[in-house]
Amino acid sequence: MINRIIYFGICILISLSVSCISNVKSIEGTQPNILILFLDDLDPDFRCYGNTLVTTPNIDKLASEGMLFTRAYSAATVCSPSHTTLFTGCYASTIGAPHHRSSYIDKLPDGYSILTDLMSDAGYFTVNFRSKGDLMYQKLYGATAKTDLNFDRGKPENNRESGKEVFKNLQTIDPENIETYFKGGKWNSKESNQPFFAYANIETGKKHGFVPGRKWAKERGIAVDSTKIKIPPHYSDTDEVRSVLASSLDAVSHVDFEVGKFLKALEKSGYANNTLVILMSDHGATLQRHKQSLWTSGIHIPMIIKWPNKIKPSEINEELASIIDIAPTCLNAAGIKIPKTMEGLDLLSNKPNNRKYIFATRDGMNNFFDCSRAVISKEYQYIHHFFPELSFRGNGYAKRTLTFKSMLELYKKDSLNELQRAYFKPSKNYAFELYNLNNDTEETVNLALNSAYKEETLKYQHILFQWQKETGDKVLNARKLLNVEKVPEGTKVDNLLKLKR
């Protein structure tokens, strides 16, 4: 009798095991949902990245449940080329659309693809989120639906910064009611078993969010104490600098609150267990020497990926990563073939382990010409300025939005040190810059000026030139086109392109 009980017990266990294995296979064979939380203008300033002044419980929790990348970078220093990279898996320079707010291309070159099209063709429900309300409300709460592509701009269907509407659906949400995020509206047109590819562009942390973020944080008793902020060596310690930095960090806490709504709505909807969540920023904060700059302060970004049952909790990834990798990562997760034209790597594969270098570009800003490139390894960053005669702040946005007025006044009085003066000079200090990222995290010592590092500098210069040759990155020969020895400040990209024709 006992033997028969044991026998049937074993049979039941085997049956349950087979059933479990069958269920696992079924789950593994299901295409995951994908949610991208794209945060405009943010440094890695969350608690999970070591900043203890901010309050970021939602993003910290996401990191504890997934993979945090310590060496993630933007492929460009400003919105549109960065967004273009995200949706194509290519450097904006490769497809001939590197300039911000100028010289858009009508369409992608032959053979290149848009991530959303590939997802849609594979049966995904593609959806972008937009908060209801006026423009400023959208920029502070929920999502803006911003795509901001440098190709096929078309009519701005979503808002003033939209490119072609690359998503099939636009979900209008009420940030005060998370029930509207993954239910109702356009979401009702999603088939019951259809996987989704969703995108939320969150602008809460940008410059326009600093003052509201400060107010928001004070109301909750979590405002940053400006006296506790460590002032970077490139900044002078003024009341304005401390005030702006404190407000920028309060805006980060506000971003976390908005991110939390999406994560809670995802959990409440029942989708969380089969959703790959990717959170990152497009480039550095809306601060002097950050946004529009190729120093690490301008291109080192936060990146966190969570995929239940696929990624171990609290995993730290120290490999080189870039926005350019997001498209191939999404495609591979969904079981979709990655086009050969995509230059990025699947971050969840072993391929990034063998990567030695990544690249970043800075070109025309708001139609004001410039051109610089950066090569980043785990040890060094090399920056090459093709037109050092042009200043770092040679466009209206940089002068108006990215400049500390108090530092500008100190510069005029010749009261800044050489490090602090660099941003304000009428031309760049050097044509080449080389920094040791391990020993000089603030990038204060340009090793390219040291003869002992001449060989290292030339090595990285060669790596850059080789990459440009391989990717077809052609720099406009502005001096030749204008027949000048030095390109004048204020030269327009579009005018150079007309001369080229």
Side-chain angles (χ1 to χ4, degrees):
M1 181 68 177
I2 294 175
N3 287 340
R4 292 178 70 182
I5 291 173
I6 292 172
Y7 172 80
F8 283 116
I10 291 172
C11 288
I12 290 170
L13 286 172
I14 291 172
S15 176
L16 287 172
S17 298
V18 170
S19 175
C20 289
I21 291 169
S22 176
N23 287 337
V24 169
K25 285 182 178 178
S26 175
I27 292 170
E28 288 178 348
T30 302
Q31 288 178 300
N33 304 309
I34 298 174
L35 171 62
I36 293 180
L37 300 173
F38 206 49
L39 316 178
D40 267 23
D41 298 23
L42 280 192
D43 298 335
D45 267 330
F46 313 134
R47 279 195 174 236
C48 55
Y49 274 98
N51 192 322
T52 58
L53 296 178
V54 297
T55 304
T56 53
N58 297 297
I59 294 174
D60 297 342
K61 182 174 182 289
L62 183 69
S64 72
E65 296 170 340
M67 181 185 293
L68 180 147
F69 291 79
T70 61
R71 287 189 173 100
Y73 293 88
S74 173
T77 65
V78 71
C79 306
S80 63
S82 183
H83 285 239
T84 296
T85 297
L86 171 69
F87 283 101
T88 63
C90 299
Y91 291 101
S93 55
T94 298
I95 62 172
H99 304 288
H100 178 60
R101 298 283 187 267
S102 57
S103 66
Y104 306 122
I105 59 176
D106 293 333
K107 63 178 182 178
L108 288 177
D110 291 341
Y112 290 84
S113 310
I114 308 172
L115 174 61
T116 44
D117 286 351
L118 296 172
M119 300 300 290
S120 183
D121 291 343
Y124 271 76
F125 177 81
T126 64
V127 58
N128 197 352
F129 291 99
R130 177 181 63 187
S131 298
K132 70 175 186 179
D134 60 34
L135 185 63
M136 186 49 65
Y137 184 85
Q138 294 169 12
K139 288 188 173 185
L140 293 177
Y141 304 99
T144 63
K146 173 181 176 181
T147 50
D148 204 12
L149 306 175
N150 275 356
F151 59 91
D152 200 2
R153 294 286 290 189
K155 181 181 177 182
E157 296 89 348
N158 291 342
N159 63 29
R160 297 174 190 175
E161 294 177 323
S162 175
K164 174 186 175 182
E165 182 44 63
V166 294
F167 290 87
K168 298 283 187 183
N169 302 279
L170 182 61
Q171 178 76 355
T172 300
I173 62 174
D174 178 0
E176 296 179 2
N177 178 16
I178 63 173
E179 294 283 351
T180 63
Y181 283 36
F182 297 96
K183 186 166 54 175
K186 285 289 185 179
W187 206 268
N188 289 341
S189 61
K190 186 181 86 68
E191 296 178 12
S192 59
N193 294 320
Q194 185 181 16
F196 64 77
F197 177 78
Y199 173 81
N201 192 89
I202 300 173
E203 292 192 36
T204 314
K206 294 188 77 163
K207 190 80 168 199
H208 51 240
F210 287 9
V211 173
R214 187 71 168 163
K215 180 176 180 292
W216 177 90
K218 284 182 176 179
E219 290 172 349
R220 286 157 179 77
I222 59 172
V224 171
D225 182 349
S226 63
T227 65
K228 294 183 178 180
I229 294 175
K230 181 182 176 182
I231 304 300
H234 303 89
Y235 292 168
S236 54
D237 192 348
T238 69
D239 290 341
E240 180 208 14
V241 169
R242 286 193 173 275
S243 175
V244 172
L245 291 182
S247 296
S248 72
L249 293 178
D250 286 335
V252 170
S253 298
H254 194 188
V255 167
D256 179 83
F257 184 71
E258 295 303 317
V259 166
K261 293 177 183 177
F262 278 96
L263 297 177
K264 288 166 188 171
L266 187 71
E267 192 73 40
K268 197 169 184 180
S269 70
Y271 292 121
N273 287 337
N274 191 36
T275 299
L276 168 65
V277 178
I278 301 175
L279 177 141
M280 64 191 149
S281 175
D282 56 349
H283 49 69
T286 326
L287 294 167
Q288 180 178 306
R289 202 183 155 89
H290 288 242
K291 184 176 183 178
Q292 292 196 4
S293 300
L294 277 173
W295 296 297
T296 53
S297 52
I299 58 174
H300 185 214
I301 60 171
M303 183 183 288
I304 299 169
I305 301 180
K306 173 191 173 184
W307 193 1
N309 303 314
K310 296 288 186 178
I311 294 177
K312 295 176 183 178
S314 300
E315 191 166 346
I316 303 297
N317 190 310
E318 297 182 343
E319 301 301 327
L320 293 171
S322 168
I323 283 177
I324 203 170
D325 302 321
I326 299 304
T329 299
C330 290
L331 292 173
N332 207 43
I336 303 169
K337 186 177 180 181
I338 301 171
K340 292 182 179 179
T341 50
M342 283 193 177
E343 299 172 285
L345 302 177
D346 173 15
L347 291 171
L348 303 182
S349 70
N350 292 324
K351 290 183 179 180
N353 297 349
N354 300 318
R355 173 188 265 163
K356 293 183 178 180
Y357 312 103
I358 56 174
F359 304 86
T361 64
R362 169 191 159 101
D363 290 276
M365 304 283 179
N366 299 85
N367 205 16
F368 288 88
F369 176 74
D370 201 352
C371 184
S372 299
R373 298 287 182 264
V375 184
I376 305 104
S377 69
K378 287 185 178 180
E379 187 175 5
Y380 291 103
Q381 179 181 20
Y382 173 75
I383 303 175
H384 190 107
H385 301 296
F386 289 90
F387 301 91
E389 64 265 35
L390 298 173
S391 70
F392 286 115
R393 52 191 293 272
N395 63 80
Y397 184 87
K399 291 174 181 175
R400 182 180 68 255
T401 309
L402 303 178
T403 297
F404 283 113
K405 294 179 181 178
S406 56
M407 287 190 65
L408 178 59
E409 289 304 310
L410 290 171
Y411 171 75
K412 291 177 179 177
K413 296 176 183 177
D414 198 22
S415 298
L416 297 178
N417 63 38
E418 190 58 29
L419 197 61
Q420 296 162 352
R421 284 169 51 83
Y423 189 75
F424 297 94
K425 287 186 174 182
S427 62
K428 300 179 180 73
N429 274 4
Y430 326 106
F432 320 126
E433 298 180 60
L434 181 72
Y435 300 100
N436 187 310
L437 298 179
N438 297 318
N439 300 334
D440 183 18
T441 56
E442 298 282 2
E443 296 186 321
T444 61
V445 180
N446 181 9
L447 298 175
L449 302 177
N450 187 332
S451 58
Y453 287 87
K454 182 178 179 180
E455 187 175 331
E456 199 72 35
T457 301
L458 290 174
K459 169 191 168 183
Y460 277 84
Q461 187 177 104
H462 174 73
I463 291 166
L464 172 64
F465 291 166
Q466 186 62 32
W467 171 79
Q468 288 185 292
K469 182 179 179 181
E470 291 173 356
T471 63
D473 176 23
K474 296 181 175 128
V475 177
L476 278 172
N477 193 339
R479 298 188 190 99
K480 184 177 179 181
L481 290 170
L482 296 172
N483 194 26
V484 294
E485 289 185 6
K486 293 184 178 181
V487 176
E489 191 81 66
T491 296
K492 298 295 181 70
V493 174
D494 290 342
N495 289 343
L496 289 174
L497 290 173
K498 287 177 184 176
L499 289 173
K500 185 183 176 184
R501 297 189 194 106

